[in-house]
Amino acid sequence: MTILQLAIASLSVGIGALIQGSIGFGLNVVAAPVLVLIDTTLVPGPALFAALALTILVGTRERGGIDAKGFGWLILGRLPATTAAAFTVAVLPERGLAIALAASVLVAVGLSLAGWKVRRTPATLVTVGALSGVMGTISSVGGPPVAMAYQDARGAQLRGTLSAILGFGATFSCVMLSIAGRFGTEEIRASLVLLPGIVVGFIASRWTAHLLDRGFVRPAVLGFSAASAIAAIVRYAI
């Protein structure tokens, strides 16, 4: 990796970490498309490891806000859905599924802007967890469904709960990649290259998170959820 490539990679993960540290998700929405252009070995393993490191940092900072009960229901939905999605991708067109799921996020954003709100009941959280697992498996963007469910929560609860669920997902994915032989010594070395950008973005997010907590969390969640969905649609439609 050249110095220029390293600088671009560090900038992309730094910006992604800043966004995720502020609203709870967004690292690989920003960083993954850039990293794969720089070096294909940076995705998925190193990118997922960097995401895991960030979720640990944000989760530790926001540990008091984690919705432990809600996390349990989200995991209950996410685990089987992630497994099912892995098999579904093997038999159904990945492109069509990714576009359909991204479009559903845009619909949810529109409904939220119109005044519709998700009640965080066990049933809805299991459903949201399942959607997150499917989207995370198919398009690497699993944050928006959970963020939409917690859009009216306190900033700390939103970021803490998202960090818990995304951290669990990243850990599971890294273990599976390791078993498959796609996350070994080379990928670990590549992961270390990304960590400085993660740390810088996380530190900077302390200020932006505090700013958003002054009444701007919901607009930020809706705006970035819509942007993530549009980016996924564009990526798979082209």
Side-chain angles (χ1 to χ4, degrees), residues 158-177:
L158 170 70
R159 292 185 293 269
T161 306
L162 266 167
S163 293
I165 188 71
L166 295 180
F168 184 91
T171 301
F172 183 74
S173 296
C174 284
V175 170
M176 291 299 101
L177 285 172

Side-chain angles (χ1 to χ4, degrees), residues 28 43-53 55 75 78-79 81-83 85-86 132-142 164-184 187 191:
N28 281 330
V43 178
L48 281 168
F49 187 82
L52 175 58
T55 58
I75 288 297
R78 180 163 181 139
L79 276 178
T82 299
T83 304
S132 176
V134 172
M135 287 190 66
T137 302
I138 294 174
S139 65
S140 300
V141 182
I165 188 71
L166 295 180
F168 184 91
T171 301
F172 183 74
S173 296
C174 284
V175 170
M176 291 299 101
L177 285 172
S178 179
I179 293 173
R182 296 192 60 194
F183 191 68
E187 287 78 15
S191 301

Side-chain angles (χ1 to χ4, degrees), residues 29 35 100 120 129 161 238:
V29 174
L35 294 177
R120 290 191 293 276
T161 306
I238 294 178

